[in-house]
Amino acid sequence: MKQLIDQNWLQEHNAKQEAAVISDYNALAEKLERSGIKIDTILEQAKQFTVAVPSWGVGTGGTRFARFPGKGEPRNIFEKLDDCSVIQLLSQATPAVSLHIPWDRPKDPSELRQYAEQYGLHFDAMNSNTFQDQIGQEESYKFGSLTHTNKAVREQAIAHNIDVVELGQKLGSKALTVWVGDGSNFPGQQHFKNSFTHYLDSIKAVYNSLPDDWNMLLEHKIFEPAFYSTVIQDWGSSYLAAKETGERCLSLVDLGHHAPNVNIEMIVSRLAQFGKLGGFHFNDSKYGDDDLDSGSINPYQLFLIFNELTDIRVQDPSYSPFYMLDQSHNVTDPVESLMYSAAEVQRAFVKSLLVDRNALTQYQEANDAMMAQASLKQAYNLDVEPILQMARLQAGGAIDPVSCYRASGYRAAVAKARPADPNKTGSGIV
Amino acid sequence: MKQLIDQNWLQEHNAKQEAAVISDYNALAEKLERSGIKIDTILEQAKQFTVAVPSWGVGTGGTRFARFPGKGEPRNIFEKLDDCSVIQLLSQATPAVSLHIPWDRPKDPSELRQYAEQYGLHFDAMNSNTFQDQIGQEESYKFGSLTHTNKAVREQAIAHNIDVVELGQKLGSKALTVWVGDGSNFPGQQHFKNSFTHYLDSIKAVYNSLPDDWNMLLEHKIFEPAFYSTVIQDWGSSYLAAKETGERCLSLVDLGHHAPNVNIEMIVSRLAQFGKLGGFHFNDSKYGDDDLDSGSINPYQLFLIFNELTDIRVQDPSYSPFYMLDQSHNVTDPVESLMYSAAEVQRAFVKSLLVDRNALTQYQEANDAMMAQASLKQAYNLDVEPILQMARLQAGGAIDPVSCYRASGYRAAVAKARPADPNKTGSGIV
Amino acid sequence: MKQLIDQNWLQEHNAKQEAAVISDYNALAEKLERSGIKIDTILEQAKQFTVAVPSWGVGTGGTRFARFPGKGEPRNIFEKLDDCSVIQLLSQATPAVSLHIPWDRPKDPSELRQYAEQYGLHFDAMNSNTFQDQIGQEESYKFGSLTHTNKAVREQAIAHNIDVVELGQKLGSKALTVWVGDGSNFPGQQHFKNSFTHYLDSIKAVYNSLPDDWNMLLEHKIFEPAFYSTVIQDWGSSYLAAKETGERCLSLVDLGHHAPNVNIEMIVSRLAQFGKLGGFHFNDSKYGDDDLDSGSINPYQLFLIFNELTDIRVQDPSYSPFYMLDQSHNVTDPVESLMYSAAEVQRAFVKSLLVDRNALTQYQEANDAMMAQASLKQAYNLDVEPILQMARLQAGGAIDPVSCYRASGYRAAVAKARPADPNKTGSGIV
Amino acid sequence: MKQLIDQNWLQEHNAKQEAAVISDYNALAEKLERSGIKIDTILEQAKQFTVAVPSWGVGTGGTRFARFPGKGEPRNIFEKLDDCSVIQLLSQATPAVSLHIPWDRPKDPSELRQYAEQYGLHFDAMNSNTFQDQIGQEESYKFGSLTHTNKAVREQAIAHNIDVVELGQKLGSKALTVWVGDGSNFPGQQHFKNSFTHYLDSIKAVYNSLPDDWNMLLEHKIFEPAFYSTVIQDWGSSYLAAKETGERCLSLVDLGHHAPNVNIEMIVSRLAQFGKLGGFHFNDSKYGDDDLDSGSINPYQLFLIFNELTDIRVQDPSYSPFYMLDQSHNVTDPVESLMYSAAEVQRAFVKSLLVDRNALTQYQEANDAMMAQASLKQAYNLDVEPILQMARLQAGGAIDPVSCYRASGYRAAVAKARPADPNKTGSGIV
């Protein structure tokens, strides 16, 4: 399979909307010009912006209660890449894919790499998996993996992570994301200090096998699958582990992994200040780790996070954390959600570029709370859709990815090509 | 005192920004036209939109730890109305003031009413106060008011509420808002059922004294000042009380009075469906009853609430709940915050008008979650600032209320006219 | 299979601990006597206390990430009843089992009923399931069941519930518990009012088919599997639905289904005051619907809930809500967890009987917060283990159910008799 | 004033209850003996246990809405010490008082020290106050203190802290607790990184003036008085600041200062593991920083915290963090609350000593979650009241401090001696 949606057809589809985009873009250009902002500079940055797509995100997600599969779900990593190529073609913001091992383990890594490259795709951070048992696995992760009381289990988990790094090297990846669900469901079940000590030892063992140009990203999470305590429960534990482990060991922030009410943009700032902000899993949430589409619940929070990131990059333009989407698409077509979400993240990024930082700094220094907040809102309230549309248009993507995707008939085509397994039900596991 | 900011000066101030406003307005008009929306219809509704200002909001707020007074704070209800008149003059969205008794009790109600009317102001819902003891008061509210175990205390609280209604009649108000902090700080301190029964009896006694054209609004709150249990802790208890009491007894929703993560727009829908949604206290919050400026933390949530309200008004155009700001301005000039917040509420309202409801309904019926959410975002992502600016301009207000207010020198003038009491410190009460 | 643990062996096992139990019991009797409490009265009530066991609770639970099966898991409803019989034999507090349909649907209901009766077991509330799709099912519940926009789906869900009632009649059950996960993952996805209206219509249709001596229990939950909105999200919506539907339609309170910080014991009181408290799903939680073992995280909260229930029963001794355990046992032997949890619930119940209610009432009336809370703590701080042990001993159960169970070798025996399916992995569905 | 309650009278009061205490104590001794625990060892440790009392805690607290003063409130630090002496006399667990400056600043420190010593009292950690403005103060803390953008404000705040340390040296204190409310109410108001950098610089300046045998304790808090962001918002920021500052700079954990659902006992473990756990402010909470009486809402959580502390002390018997009560007594007599709370903290401590740690370790190593949790519950479910009573009795305190205090007539006596200021109302500051 090569290009799944025809480029010519795509251009024709765009053509109908082009005049409106240009008109809106020019009106916005004029408006920004009045504030001394050249829209082309912003457009250029919008075009450079990318966020990785999770391989597991192109299948339908679910809860412990049930999974309701969609049509034409990809059955292997190659079909997943087919879907990812469509997302990248239309959104022009997602050239990288983040793999999950063993789910995506290829027989022949070079074949997989070539398959991706024909689509112009490459591989972002690799994800290891020690929160599930695989058939034939020696030791069980029921009571933990990198932090297990039993050394044999820890060693198996370490070996798996090292294995994922080796695979990732063959695929051209440059980072390993480590998330463990290790923790406990009862007070007393786990010795907090011993568990964390085991974690540190295990992480260091993995880190020692890391190539020099790789980063290791530690992902924290307050709860689930452990419901009383989680070993890497917050940014404090994540920071300590990254600090203890080494320079290229960094913290990864998933937007849905915090306690209620926590100020995430402040955590972003703290980790960056101490040199430990390595990357993001973007999604949104209202209650827990809901893995909803990025910006779907609280788009202002997403903007505030990018406001921090842009502020950091003003000081250090070379700063470049890993950006990944990590969402569970239970009620939408995953391709649509990932395209729409990539654009939402891009929207927050673009708006953050429009903040008048000199003015903001002066308001902050003068404790002019009203105008400081107003200068953020001034940027946030702008409608930057024309910039996003123009960026996609000029890059060869779709002005409106979702409507274009629907018009393409892609889902119906893969639904035929990928018949569902009639023996599989969507039953959860409660 | 009559008009505190000169109309001619205001027009001159506006004149500098007018060309830009017209240009932006026309560009937006063209864009909306493409979607079949006539901007003038929206403008007209924007101009009709009003939200009441709280008399207590024009003074600087504080916490139990401290209050840091601003300059030129109003020392009585007349000076408060002076400030409110400036807010209304510049924002043109706040013609009504909500009073708090006994704080605002006038010696001569008709004098106060005339004073307001010369500014074109009138009085919104009256607020009673049984969460503080007043000097010379017979019974203490330390352990409750309308729900106190002692009948004499309950009767004093009932009498106070009736008194506030009588005062409100003289002032032209049409509603009484009842918020009580009654509750407990310890398990066991209060008998839940008895307290609620007392509440129902007390509320009915007040309701019986209500004029036929008045509404009574019951305000719930999950916690503070009571920290273990609160008698009217959520919309469930509020609904039950309103239902038991009578047709014109309704529930009032304060955006900051809910448990973490609660879906407030859904509560709005439920109360409306069962005929009990009476009004709002607008503000924003990140943690508890933070009383932050409306839309300053989660503007999308504010939009979603207005999305419900607009949906309700499509079914019943006569539906008209009470809209009030209820904020505590600890670090800003209260006049600025109230003008800015009124505009933020208006912004959410205007955006909600731009939702394509026919399309939304079809997406909902078809369970097209992607396009349903996208149709909300399509409206939300629009920049409606030109409509708000034009509405103010045409109504005789300021295009940019805050900058205009600052240029006017109003705060410096009242700072002179209203010297601070040197004996008063801002010490809190921890 | 008849009795799985030998009665004689059990008596011998108890014999070793009997002297200590009697000694502790007598010491406690003397202590209580000083406060005017006769321990035998309490013992008698402890022996009468029962809580139903969930059929699904005897299998190992899991999360969306993984399930790690235990050994000897029951493979059908008969094996589940075998496990339940052991729980009842040793704990002597769980004579009833709550079934989940279709999971537990028997070919021959009378055979199942007889199988239960030989163990002295009977059937508590029936649970319907419209949160999963079953193989061969006509309509999908992906976008809702009783509240779906499509009438055909709603009718299918209604028919299923009616079917469950009919089955339950044959099994001797007297109640139907209805929990639906219906809701939405995106703002805009669902029309709140329409969804609730559909719910009311559907529920009424089920209610109309209910036998006269049955109750219908509506279970609310703030989130999961829906992550933006849930149709029956809290006790307010639950109450409204129960109220609209009919006298024997009641609300069921699951301890883990509330927003953070919510005062659950107060909800218990409110629902009871308005005649709508129908029953409980007992469990514990720290974050969300964690389904942890009852009393394992916050035992004082469990006591406070029983404090309300005992208070209600003082007024109305005939009041008898449904008590069920609803837990997910991910890291323990489910039989052990259910026995231990039943005892924890019983412990909270027994302690609530020891509260000096006359004193408490006087303290409450006098607003003596210190002594009111102290009178609860006085009961709570007592060690009532000797009463629980004596109750089990006298009823023919085990003094220490868990150690007795381990000594019995039951798990090893069923592990042999119920070999695991090697094709099934514990993979989650993320 | 010397001894305010007569020792002989106290002994007579105790005499009536003594027989019962001895009987209960012996029964418990016998029971513990069966588990190999010698009750006298536990009793000895109970008698050694102390927790400091906050000077501000003996006055009635309040909220931003109101304060309802009690009778006989202490009007100065000497009267506060009178009250503290009663607390210590009856509870025999609170020989130290924690002062708050400038509230408690004495004219003559040596006079104050002698006054305390005649009661057998000494001074625990000193508390600085830069969250309020004092009359005559040069710079305002409205927009921050140690983190203010203006260097002059930061220097004033630093000087105040150094001043408090100097005063503390004269009083025999050995620690400074630093809590600042610094933060922001609006996104954008404050530059996160700059604020934290200012904090670090300021803290280091204070630390440099610290005597060699002093500790500095940094107290974090998620929100209030700042409602969008707080500079030292959680243990992560607290740890970083302590780590950057120096060896004797440690973190202090206040039980009410965390986000909802957060596992506090785990934070205790993390801070201890990395050498930064300096002390505690004990209280309880259900919603926010409610400052309720210790153990009044979730006593099991308090036990779990002491379970960690005892575990740490098993490894390092010399480990001795600062223990302080920090509560706001809005509805009780503060003396009663502080005595009762000290006993609740002591109860949690004593129960933590009864955990069979060898068994627990084995269960943890074997991942026997059921028995691990049961071994905690086994200790927690014991009634250790006889140990607490015996400890007080033997130390010369009251068997039942609250009833003894009431019988003494102390409150009535000070109510006469300390008439209320009729000009002061309890009005809050909303």
Side-chain angles (χ1 to χ4, degrees), chain C residues 325-393:
Chain C
L325 296 173
D326 182 8
Q327 306 175 165
S328 185
H329 310 106
N330 302 354
V331 295
T332 54
D333 180 328
V335 169
E336 295 185 7
S337 268
L338 287 164
M339 292 189 304
Y340 196 94
S341 298
E344 285 300 282
V345 175
Q346 200 180 12
R347 185 188 313 278
F349 165 72
V350 168
K351 287 186 175 185
S352 77
L353 300 175
L354 299 174
V355 173
D356 183 340
R357 290 195 183 274
N358 289 332
L360 177 60
T361 300
Q362 284 172 33
Y363 295 135
Q364 288 173 338
E365 287 297 312
N367 293 298
D368 187 343
M370 171 51 58
M371 290 310 297
Q373 69 92 24
S375 60
L376 293 190
K377 275 287 185 68
Q378 193 166 30
Y380 178 72
N381 284 335
L382 291 169
D383 180 2
V384 300
E385 185 68 20
I387 296 175
L388 302 183
Q389 292 173 326
M390 189 62 86
R392 285 191 294 266
L393 180 63

Side-chain angles (χ1 to χ4, degrees), chain A residues 105-116:
Chain A
R105 186 187 297 281
K107 280 180 192 157
D108 178 353
S110 66
E111 181 196 5
L112 182 62
R113 192 167 179 173
Q114 280 171 28
Y115 195 84

Side-chain angles (χ1 to χ4, degrees), chain D residues 11 13-23 390 393 399:
Chain D
Q11 283 181 27
H13 191 85
N14 278 338
K16 288 167 258 171
Q17 300 164 283
E18 221 170 304
V21 170
I22 291 168
S23 167
M390 189 61 84
L393 180 64
I399 291 174

Side-chain angles (χ1 to χ4, degrees), chain B residues 143 148-150 186-194 196-198 200 222-223 228-237 239-241 244 259-263 265-267 269-270 273-274 300 304 307-308 311 315 360-361 363-370 372-374 376, chain C residues 143 148-150 186-194 196-198 200 222-223 228-237 239-241 244 259-263 265-267 269-270 273-274 300 304 307-308 311 315 360-361 363-370 372-374 376:
Chain B
F143 296 104
H148 200 285
T149 53
N150 181 345
F186 288 91
Q189 180 186 337
Q190 206 171 61
H191 193 274
F192 294 141
K193 182 181 175 183
N194 291 353
F196 197 60
T197 301
H198 288 323
L200 294 177
I222 181 173
F223 80 100
Y228 165 66
S229 71
T230 296
V231 180
I232 305 298
Q233 89 281 21
D234 64 8
W235 78 273
S237 289
Y239 169 83
L240 281 171
E244 293 283 313
N261 303 346
V262 159
N263 188 321
E265 51 270 28
M266 196 162 172
I267 291 174
S269 171
R270 286 287 181 278
Q273 179 167 1
F274 289 83
Y300 194 49
L304 292 175
N307 180 52
E308 291 306 311
D311 181 79
Q315 316 297 324
L360 177 60
T361 300
Y363 295 135
Q364 289 173 338
E365 288 296 312
N367 293 299
D368 187 342
M370 170 51 58
Q373 69 90 25
L376 293 190
Chain C
F143 296 103
H148 200 284
T149 54
N150 182 345
F186 289 92
Q189 179 186 338
Q190 204 171 63
H191 193 274
F192 293 141
K193 183 180 173 182
N194 291 353
F196 198 59
T197 302
H198 287 324
L200 294 177
I222 182 174
F223 79 100
Y228 164 66
S229 70
T230 296
V231 179
I232 305 299
Q233 90 279 25
D234 63 9
W235 77 273
S237 290
Y239 169 83
L240 280 171
E244 293 282 314
N261 302 345
V262 158
N263 187 321
E265 52 270 29
M266 195 162 174
I267 291 174
S269 172
R270 287 285 182 279
Q273 180 167 1
F274 289 83
Y300 193 48
L304 292 174
N307 180 52
E308 292 304 313
D311 182 79
Q315 315 298 324
L360 177 60
T361 300
Y363 295 135
Q364 288 173 338
E365 287 297 312
N367 293 298
D368 187 343
M370 171 51 58
Q373 69 92 24
L376 293 190

